[in-house]
Amino acid sequence: MKTIAFTNQKGGVGKTTSTINVGAGLCLQGKKVLMVDLDPQANLTYSLRMNSQRIDNTIYDVLKGRISPDEAIISHNGFDILPSSIDLSGAEMEFVNEPARETLLKNNLEKLGTGYDYILIDCPPNLGLLTLNAFTAVKEIFIVLQSEYLALHGLSKLMDVIRVVKERLNPDIAISGIICTLFDSRKNLNREVVDHIKDYFGDKVFKTIIRDNVALAEAPSHHKTIFEYDSESYGAKDYLALSKEIRNGH
Ligand SMILES: Nc1ncnc2c1ncn2[C@@H]1O[C@H](COP(=O)(O)OP(=O)(O)OP(=O)(O)O)[C@@H](O)[C@H]1O
Ligand SMILES: [Mg+2]
């Protein structure tokens, strides 16, 4: 079983889009996938689920210890989702006095056993307690970077946090993949940024670069993965190629 957190404290870089469509791509290859929405914005949840479809139990109830994770899991066309909700936005404050506050997610995911091939966690855009919980619960971290100016800005802070988690909470953790997203081949700057990211991270950077593709931005409003929404789009081609690279352990 592979456990992977998709992270970057910078907002809007494609973490949620990548979690959903890498997960869906792995599912198309016959893998059993769980996506965990660990963001109080609940973008992953609502990108796949209509607002009108009631969600009774969420990751918040799980972390609170009210229910077990399997009671919150919902399914979507072949893969599973552990949904989030706005309730989670108070988590930092609520859990502050819990002695094991960084291991709440890890302890709960362990209750699920090893039935999944992949557990993918969509992190919120900050380095707070929820992100620490993700880093404590996984073996691998994928950093998602937008192929734009300042892509690497602020990254040293993220690396510091990962180093501290590795020392104190989770010795197994490693940055195992860098995903470059929102690539626009018409912009020379985008190429330069990707070259710069490759200089910095070497062969951790996935060969598949995710292009800027409008279908990827449209699919969530139809509550669909890119493969369900437009399987011929560049977005579908790129995320299928990326998920193959991930499956083959690049
Ligand atoms: N390759 C792409 N091409 C076009 N639009 C994209 C692409 N990837 C993501 N988007 C769009 O860009 C926006 C930000 O993407 P996304 O929500 O995945 O980022 P995020 O890092 O999860 O954001 P947040 O930090 O707020 O959680 C969304 O509207 C999404 O639909
Ligand atoms: Mg997101």
Side-chain angles (χ1 to χ4, degrees):
M1 185 170 73
K2 298 243 181 197
T3 48
I4 308 168
F6 288 64
T7 195
N8 189 337
Q9 76 270 33
K10 201 176 282 188
V13 297
K15 295 181 287 294
T16 303
T17 306
S18 296
T19 311
I20 291 173
N21 294 306
V22 164
L26 289 165
C27 176
L28 283 177
Q29 296 172 71
K31 300 295 176 190
K32 196 151 177 5
V33 176
L34 172 67
M35 302 175 192
V36 179
D37 189 351
L38 200 59
D39 185 350
Q41 297 180 96
N43 288 344
L44 184 145
T45 303
Y46 291 111
S47 295
L48 294 170
R49 206 61 186 183
M50 316 245 248
N51 287 331
S52 57
Q53 289 174 292
R54 219 183 117 104
I55 297 172
D56 292 319
N57 297 325
T58 69
I59 185 78
Y60 174 73
D61 304 291
V62 174
L63 296 178
K64 279 295 255 186
R66 288 187 190 141
I67 55 168
S68 62
D70 54 315
E71 289 175 87
I73 287 172
I74 52 180
S75 59
H76 176 106
N77 257 344
F79 56 83
D80 286 351
I81 308 165
L82 187 43
S84 180
S85 81
I86 187 74
D87 294 338
L88 197 57
S89 56
E92 308 274 330
M93 296 287 279
E94 278 183 53
F95 296 129
V96 74
N97 290 320
E98 291 254 352
R101 58 186 175 276
E102 292 98 353
T103 55
L104 293 168
L105 181 65
K106 177 189 168 75
N107 297 342
N108 274 292
L109 292 183
E110 278 169 2
K111 293 182 195 158
L112 289 171
T114 54
Y116 291 103
D117 297 310
Y118 289 89
I119 297 181
L120 309 180
I121 302 179
D122 183 22
C123 292
N126 61 57
L127 293 170
L129 181 61
L130 291 166
T131 297
L132 285 184
N133 263 272
F135 291 176
T136 307
V138 298
K139 290 220 165 62
E140 297 181 54
I141 291 178
F142 287 177
I143 300 175
V144 182
L145 295 173
Q146 186 173 352
S147 314
E148 276 290 343
Y149 180 56
L150 297 179
L152 294 169
H153 187 81
L155 220 61
S156 61
K157 183 74 198 152
L158 173 60
M159 308 294 260
D160 284 347
V161 170
I162 294 170
R163 200 174 307 119
V164 170
V165 171
K166 192 175 170 71
E167 276 167 23
R168 300 200 190 148
L169 295 159
N170 182 7
D172 296 335
I173 201 176
I175 298 167
S176 60
I178 307 295
I179 302 175
C180 299
T181 63
L182 286 149
F183 182 82
D184 184 343
S185 61
R186 292 164 299 185
K187 295 184 187 162
N188 281 331
L189 180 67
N190 278 200
R191 286 181 202 284
E192 283 173 29
V193 170
V194 169
D195 286 344
H196 192 45
I197 293 169
K198 284 181 179 161
D199 288 343
Y200 192 87
F201 285 106
D203 58 10
K204 284 187 180 164
V205 183
F206 287 109
K207 288 188 189 68
T208 308
I209 307 289
I210 307 299
R211 286 168 281 189
D212 192 317
N213 177 234
V214 68
L216 284 168
E218 291 166 352
S221 64
H222 299 265
H223 309 287
K224 288 179 174 171
T225 70
I226 193 61
F227 307 106
E228 294 161 344
Y229 179 66
D230 184 354
S231 61
E232 299 299 314
S233 63
Y234 284 142
K237 291 191 170 88
D238 291 348
Y239 275 109
L240 186 63
L242 178 60
S243 63
K244 285 182 178 166
E245 250 190 90
I246 291 167
R247 191 202 57 189
N248 295 331
H250 83 124

